[in-house]
Each structure stands twice: as structure tokens, then as C-alpha cells.
């Protein structure tokens, strides 16, 4: 497979056009960043891990994939502010910039197969993809993960052995950002032999490449072992394997094969859903046209296969188009086959249709972004309620998704930020997962002991001290507490958001264990 750049200069200053695409991409993303709302859930964990390392400390905030946090920690170490929201804004801006800069390696990837004009169009399609735009505003791992994957693709397609080595370094770094990057090792080996004949010289070079990959991963694993006691590579693979065979979901679906089959079907459904709203106009037809081009079909199918392997596992337990985002650079590449086919037609009607497709892509992307944009007023109100409602050092049930703001409110109370998570968490309320409980009796008779909270902190909990209920609760038996609070004389209401003038209804009850009589209801 001879993969060389298409030598057909059409645009005099592609750098100017590419820079414009990147600048507009950053501007659009910034518009949709909710700077006033703190990070929560996984992105908060990445944030505190980065803060700890920016202060030169090992982190007690355990994250499975620390590559993104370590990257962010470097910029945090150069930053000076006593406002935690400023650091959270910086994390989001880094994510936004990285997502937009991915246009550069995507341009070079597309340039391997298409002329400059179409390669720039491929970059534009990726940068304006609404799910990619929205995801980049969250401050999580995906933008850096995708950027490194595309860099690896470009480098492995190069004829230089030195750049091939750099491809394996890039994929090793991908694996530190998200463990799914491990699946890209065989992908790069596949592409290497796809474009090179198998002989002693090539086997020597690929052996060196794999050795470089292993050395980087091993070094990172050793550093992780020293900090958290787990390398989060082999241990994660082992845990995932056990989950496939021993999880409640496996039992529900009647075995591992049925569970994986369900994951595969879910993945195929979400691949279709991921094409909406803009890619649906170009990618399916582009894929059909690609089949005729043997030079690229093996590369796309090979890379796509190894990218999708961990997605099958993920879709066995959860459904989220986020697992498919690493495919979007390939989607951008596929879309260009349709545009090239249209360009080859001399009829003016085809030229009009090409322009119409581009306009349709931009409009559909904009409408989708507006439709899917988070309700900032709702999220801001939830955050204010949590700050009012949850006092320090209580033990409360989780009430997702809103309870994820509890940890951010703990940080907001720190007067001399930045501080390490070890210091902040001493006065932060603890959250206990009760979603698998079936009754108030089970909740109230829960024994004290060590538990792992939302962020994998091992903490000693006497008992749940408070209960938060809302209109729709998980577990559902808490709905009765919300609707019939007078029945529970051992629950002392300490907060009601409606009484405070809020539109969203939350109630906080303190459990008076002295008055408790274990309820009989199940």
C-alpha cells in the first residue's frame, strides 16, 4: 500500500485556511462553555488530581487514567489564582483548544488520500461536528485522547521509520489518557505491515516500536503503582474481564456471550445515531464509495475495528455516543469520498449540490448544538441548592446526577485555594451509594465500616446521617419519603428548597437514630 500525499496544489495558503478553521472552532466552543458552573462527576476527579500534582503532591483523588490530569497539572502549576473556578475554566479552555487543534493532524491524515481543498474540508467537518464541540466543553479526556490517536495514524502512515517510532510513542501516551488506547497497539502493527512487506528488516523495526510502547507503558504503570497501588493497565484489563463474566449484568443477560452480543447491537445502533445530524448526509455514501478504493479501505476498516473493540465492552454496560468519538476522524475522512465524487463531475448542478451539502452541515450542526446545550439556569440553581443544603462533614445518600456537585461545593468553601484533595476532603461531606438498596429498613440498618465513595476514597462511615430526596429518586422507595414525610417521625427535615424560593424541589432530612423503629415496609 503506497500512501503518499496527493500532489495537487489547489489552495495557495492552506495554513491560513486551516488557522481560520481552528480559530472559528475555538470561538464556537467558548460560546458553549458554562464557565459559571463548576466541574462535577469525572471531570471534577481529573481536576483535583491535576491540582494535587500541580502542587507537587501525589494525589489521594484516585483516577484510573491520569494522562489528561498530568497534562493539565503542568498548566495549573504555571497559573496563579485563589479562585477554584478560574482553574476549572482553564481546564475547559485547554480541552477546547486541543479539540480545535485536532484539525491539524486530521488535515495531514486526509492529505494522504485527497488534495488540499478536500483535506481542509475534512478538518472543517471534524471541528464543526456538534458532539465533538459539546464534548470539548466538559474538560474531560476525550479531546486529548482523539488528538493523540490521529497523530498516531498520521505518523504510522509515513514512510520514515523514525516517524513510525513516534507513532508508537503517541499511542503509548493515548493509553495513559484512556486505557482503550492499548487496543491501538495491534492497530498500528496492522497498518505498518499493510504498507510494508514482511521481511527481517521490517520485523526488526516493528519490534523496536513495540518495545518503545512497552517501556513507556511500564514506566507509567510503575509510577501509578507507587501512588495508588495499581498500575491501572493490567489491573483494569483483569477487572474488566471479571466484570464480563461475573457482573450482575452478565447474570441478567444470561451469560457473557449474550452480554457482549447486546453490547455489539447497542454499538451498531449508536453508530447510526452518531451520524445525526450532519454526518448522515455524507458518511454512509462516502463509505460506499470508499469500498472501491483498495488503497484506503483496509486502513479505515483496520483502524476502525481496533477502535471499536473496547466500545463493544462499554456498550455492554452503558450507552453513550462518547465511546464512538475516536471514530470521528475516520468519519471526516469517509465524508470526503462523496465530495471528491461530486467534484469530479463537471456539471454545475453538482457544484451547487456540493455547496448545499456544506451549508447543510453547518446549519444542522448549529441547530443540534442549540438543542443539546445544557440548561445553564437549571444547573446553576442545582449548584446553589447543594451549597445551601449540604453542610460539612455529613454522610448522605447519592442522588444522581445532582449529588456530584457536593464535592465542588466542598472546594468552594476553601478560602486559600489551591489546596490538595487530602486537605479539602477532610471537611467535605461523604456520599454513599444506596442505589442497590431495596427498602428503608435496609438503609437504616446498614452497618458502619469502610466504604469507597464516588471518587474511590476509602473512608470510614459510621452510618448515613442524612437523606436527600427529590421528585424522582433512585432507589424508588425514597419517593415515599418525598411524598409522605410526615410518616417518618425519625426524619428531621433540615432543608426544603421550595421553602427557600427555588423552582427545583429537594429535601434534606437528618436521621434521628434514637427515635428510630425499624420500618416494616419493604
Amino acid at each position: 500500500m503506497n500512501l503518499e500525499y496527493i500532489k495537487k496544489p489547489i489552495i495557495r495558503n492552506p495554513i491560513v485556511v486551516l488557522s481560520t478553521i481552528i480559530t472559528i472552532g475555538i470561538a464556537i466552543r467558548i460560546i458553549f462553555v458554562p464557565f459559571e458552573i463548576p466541574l462535577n462527576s469525572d471531570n471534577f476527579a481529573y481536576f483535583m488530581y491535576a491540582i494535587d500534582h500541580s502542587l507537587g503532591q501525589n494525589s489521594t483523588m484516585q483516577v484510573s487514567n491520569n494522562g489528561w490530569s498530568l497534562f493539565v497539572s503542568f498548566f495549573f502549576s504555571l497559573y496563579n489564582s485563589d479562585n477554584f473556578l478560574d482553574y476549572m475554566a482553564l481546564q475547559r479552555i485547554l480541552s477546547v483548544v486541543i479539540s480545535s487543534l485536532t484539525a491539524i493532524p486530521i488535515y495531514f491524515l486526509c492529505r494522504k488520500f485527497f488534495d488540499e481543498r478536500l483535506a481542509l474540508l475534512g478538518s472543517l467537518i471534524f471541528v464543526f461536528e456538534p458532539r465533538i464541540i459539546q464534548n470539548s466543553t466538559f474538560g474531560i479526556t476525550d479531546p486529548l485522547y482523539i488528538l493523540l490517536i490521529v497523530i498516531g495514524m498520521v505518523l504510522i502512515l509515513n514512510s520514515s521509520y523514525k516517524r513510525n517510532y513516534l507513532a508508537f510513542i503517541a499511542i503509548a501516551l493515548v493509553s495513559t489518557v484512556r486505557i482503550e488506547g492499548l487496543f491501538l497497539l495491534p492497530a498500528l502493527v496492522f497498518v505498518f505491515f499493510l504498507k510494508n512487506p514482511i521481511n527481517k528488516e521490517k520485523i526488526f523495526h516493528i519490534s523496536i516500536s513495540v518495545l518503545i510502547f512497552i517501556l513507556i507503558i511500564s514506566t507509567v504503570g510503575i509510577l501509578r503503582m507507587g501512588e495508588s497501588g495499581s498500575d491501572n493497565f493490567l489491573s483494569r484489563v483483569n477487572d474488566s474481564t471479571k466484570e464480563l463474566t461475573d457482573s450482575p449484568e452478565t447474570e441478567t443477560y444470561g451469560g457473557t456471550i449474550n452480554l457482549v452480543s447486546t453490547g455489539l447491537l447497542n454499538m451498531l445502533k449508536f453508530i447510526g445515531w452518531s451520524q445525526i445530524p450532519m454526518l448522515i448526509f455524507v458518511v454512509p455514501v462516502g463509505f460506499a464509495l470508499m469500498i472501491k478504493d483498495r488503497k484506503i479501505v483496509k486502513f479505515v476498516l483496520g483502524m476502525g475495528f481496533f477502535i471499536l473493540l473496547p466500545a463493544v465492552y462499554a456498550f455492554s454496560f452503558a450507552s453513550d455516543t462518547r465511546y464512538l468519538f475516536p471514530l470521528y476522524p475516520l468519519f471526516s475522512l469517509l465524508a470526503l469520498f462523496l465530495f471528491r465524487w461530486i467534484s469530479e463531475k463537471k456539471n454545475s448542478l453538482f457544484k451547487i449540490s456540493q455547496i448545499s451539502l456544506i451549508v447543510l452541515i453547518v446549519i444542522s450542526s448549529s441547530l443540534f448544538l442549540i438543542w443539546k446545550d445544557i440548561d445553564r439556569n437549571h444547573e446553576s440553581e442545582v449548584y446553589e441548592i447543594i451549597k445551601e443544603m449540604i453542610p460539612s462533614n455529613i454522610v448522605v445518600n447519592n442522588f444522581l446526577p445532582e449529588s456530584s456537585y457536593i464535592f465542588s461545593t466542598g472546594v468552594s468553601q476553601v478560602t486559600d485555594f489551591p489546596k490538595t484533595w487530602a486537605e479539602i476532603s477532610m471537611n467535605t461531606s461523604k456520599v454513599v451509594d444506596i442505589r442497590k438498596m431495596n427498602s428503608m429498613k435496609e438503609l437504616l440498618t446498614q452497618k458502619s465500616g469502610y466504604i469507597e465513595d464516588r471518587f474511590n476514597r476509602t473512608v470510614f462511615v459510621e452510618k448515613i446521617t442524612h437523606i436527600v430526596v427529590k421528585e424522582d429518586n433512585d432507589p424508588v422507595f425514597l419517593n415515599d419519603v418525598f411524598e409522605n414525610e410526615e410518616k417518618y417521625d425519625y426524619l428531621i427535615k433540615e432543608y426544603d428548597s421550595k421553602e427557600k424560593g427555588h423552582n427545583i424541589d429537594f429535601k434534606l432530612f437528618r436521621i434521628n437514630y434514637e427515635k428510630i423503629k425499624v420500618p416494616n415496609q419493604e
Side-chain angles (χ1 to χ4, degrees):
M1 184 173 70
N2 183 23
L3 296 171
E4 297 296 337
Y5 289 124
I6 305 295
K7 304 297 183 182
K8 190 178 180 182
I10 294 178
I11 297 178
R12 292 183 179 180
N13 295 305
I15 295 177
V16 174
V17 178
L18 189 58
S19 299
T20 303
I21 291 172
I22 293 170
T23 302
I24 295 175
I26 292 174
I28 292 174
R29 284 160 169 76
I30 291 295
I31 292 173
F32 287 92
V33 175
F35 289 112
E36 71 280 8
I37 301 172
L39 300 174
N40 63 332
S41 194
D42 289 344
N43 50 13
F44 177 81
Y46 296 129
F47 169 77
M48 281 311 311
Y49 189 98
I51 288 291
D52 286 351
H53 278 269
S54 71
L55 297 173
Q57 301 293 321
N58 283 338
S59 183
T60 56
M61 175 65 79
Q62 298 178 21
V63 296
S64 299
N65 304 300
N66 62 349
W68 165 241
S69 295
L70 292 176
F71 175 81
V72 173
S73 70
F74 170 75
F75 294 91
F76 281 178
S77 66
L78 303 176
Y79 199 57
N80 184 23
S81 174
D82 58 0
N83 187 342
F84 76 102
L85 285 175
D86 291 342
Y87 287 91
M88 289 184 173
L90 176 57
Q91 179 170 322
R92 281 182 158 128
I93 289 172
L94 288 170
S95 179
V96 160
V97 172
I98 289 170
S99 177
S100 300
L101 287 177
T102 306
I104 298 174
I106 286 182
Y107 169 79
F108 287 108
L109 177 64
C110 296
R111 192 71 181 88
K112 287 288 185 180
F113 310 101
F114 300 96
D115 61 42
E116 292 171 336
R117 180 176 55 84
L118 288 173
L120 288 169
L121 182 57
S123 294
L124 184 144
I125 289 173
F126 177 85
V127 169
F128 283 85
E129 213 295 321
R131 287 187 178 86
I132 296 295
I133 292 175
Q134 186 181 58
N135 177 265
S136 70
T137 67
F138 298 150
I140 50 180
T141 60
D142 299 303
L144 182 60
Y145 181 69
I146 296 170
L147 173 67
L148 291 171
I149 288 177
V150 184
I151 290 174
M153 288 182 188
V154 173
L155 291 171
I156 197 62
L157 289 174
N158 200 279
S159 58
S160 167
Y161 289 132
K162 292 181 180 179
R163 293 185 181 181
N164 290 167
Y165 295 156
L166 291 175
F168 283 85
I169 293 175
I171 296 304
L173 295 176
V174 166
S175 303
T176 69
V177 177
R178 275 174 46 186
I179 191 173
E180 295 96 313
L182 293 176
F183 287 86
L184 295 174
L185 174 61
L188 291 197
V189 174
F190 170 79
V191 174
F192 180 84
F193 284 117
L194 193 62
K195 67 186 184 69
N196 294 301
I198 300 177
N199 54 44
K200 291 182 179 179
E201 180 187 5
K202 302 301 186 294
I203 292 174
F204 171 78
H205 285 294
I206 200 65
S207 299
I208 296 296
S209 301
V210 173
L211 181 61
I212 291 172
F213 178 91
I214 293 173
L215 286 174
I216 294 174
I217 292 299
S218 299
T219 302
V220 173
I222 291 171
L223 293 175
R224 287 178 175 178
M225 285 288 292
E227 181 176 50
S228 64
S230 172
D231 62 9
N232 281 319
F233 288 121
L234 294 178
S235 59
R236 284 284 303 283
V237 172
N238 184 54
D239 291 343
S240 298
T241 302
K242 287 183 179 179
E243 193 170 16
L244 281 174
T245 56
D246 301 331
S247 69
E249 288 83 0
T250 305
E251 184 176 347
T252 300
Y253 285 99
T256 302
I257 295 177
N258 291 338
L259 179 64
V260 173
S261 299
T262 300
L264 181 60
L265 290 174
N266 287 338
M267 183 191 70
L268 294 175
K269 292 177 184 177
F270 272 82
I271 287 177
W273 172 246
S274 68
Q275 306 299 302
I276 300 172
M278 56 181 276
L279 298 178
I280 192 67
F281 303 116
V282 289
V283 171
V285 177
F287 181 83
L289 293 171
M290 178 201 67
I291 300 299
K292 301 177 182 178
D293 193 333
R294 294 182 179 180
K295 182 174 65 174
I296 186 175
V297 66
K298 292 180 181 179
F299 166 74
V300 171
L301 293 180
M303 290 299 305
F305 173 78
F306 287 105
I307 288 174
L308 285 175
L309 273 180
V312 174
Y313 167 81
F315 279 108
S316 298
F317 298 95
S319 297
D320 191 339
T321 51
R322 177 189 175 192
Y323 304 131
L324 300 175
F325 288 168
L327 283 178
Y328 278 61
L330 295 178
F331 289 159
S332 300
L333 186 65
L334 289 174
L336 300 185
F337 283 92
L338 174 58
F339 285 102
R340 186 177 68 180
W341 180 80
I342 294 175
S343 297
E344 290 171 349
K345 306 300 178 183
K346 303 302 181 182
N347 193 312
S348 59
L349 183 63
F350 283 95
K351 293 182 179 180
I352 294 174
S353 66
Q354 186 177 44
I355 296 172
S356 300
L357 273 175
I358 295 173
V359 172
L360 191 59
I361 285 172
V362 173
I363 292 175
S364 63
S365 174
S366 303
L367 293 176
F368 188 86
L369 271 173
I370 295 171
W371 175 45
K372 283 291 187 177
D373 192 23
I374 66 170
D375 187 338
R376 300 191 186 194
N377 292 331
H378 175 84
E379 294 300 317
S380 295
E381 186 174 11
V382 167
Y383 176 57
E384 291 302 319
I385 290 172
I386 299 299
K387 285 201 295 185
E388 292 176 6
M389 179 172 64
I390 305 295
S392 300
N393 285 321
I394 68 170
V395 183
V396 67
N397 61 293
N398 64 332
F399 47 100
L400 295 173
E402 297 87 358
S403 57
S404 59
Y405 281 115
I406 289 177
F407 304 100
S408 296
T409 61
V411 175
S412 70
Q413 297 166 3
V414 176
T415 56
D416 52 347
F417 193 83
K419 274 187 172 181
T420 65
W421 180 241
E423 296 172 288
I424 295 173
S425 61
M426 291 176 63
N427 297 311
T428 303
S429 294
K430 300 174 181 63
V431 181
V432 178
D433 189 352
I434 67 168
R435 286 173 294 177
K436 294 183 180 180
M437 294 185 180
N438 298 309
S439 66
M440 282 293 291
K441 176 180 179 181
E442 186 177 351
L443 186 152
L444 296 170
T445 57
Q446 182 184 31
K447 296 181 180 179
S448 60
Y450 287 95
I451 65 162
E452 283 194 354
D453 71 2
R454 171 66 180 79
F455 294 119
N456 299 320
R457 297 176 301 173
T458 301
V459 293
F460 185 82
V461 178
E462 293 291 342
K463 279 185 178 181
I464 288 181
T465 61
H466 291 70
I467 295 175
V468 172
V469 293
K470 53 182 181 174
E471 292 184 8
D472 185 18
N473 297 277
D474 183 14
V476 293
F477 66 80
L478 290 181
N479 289 338
D480 190 58
V481 177
F482 180 83
E483 297 167 1
N484 304 292
E485 59 186 80
E486 67 281 354
K487 289 171 50 179
Y488 302 86
D489 60 347
Y490 51 85
L491 297 180
I492 314 301
K493 185 162 72 172
E494 295 188 340
Y495 182 88
D496 190 321
S497 61
K498 286 289 188 178
E499 294 174 359
K500 296 290 184 178
H502 292 287
N503 296 316
I504 308 171
D505 207 347
F506 286 95
K507 298 177 184 179
L508 174 71
F509 296 93
R510 176 173 56 83
I511 303 174
N512 185 345
Y513 282 98
E514 294 180 358
K515 293 181 65 175
I516 198 167
K517 293 180 181 178
V518 177
N520 293 322
Q521 73 266 22
E522 295 295 331

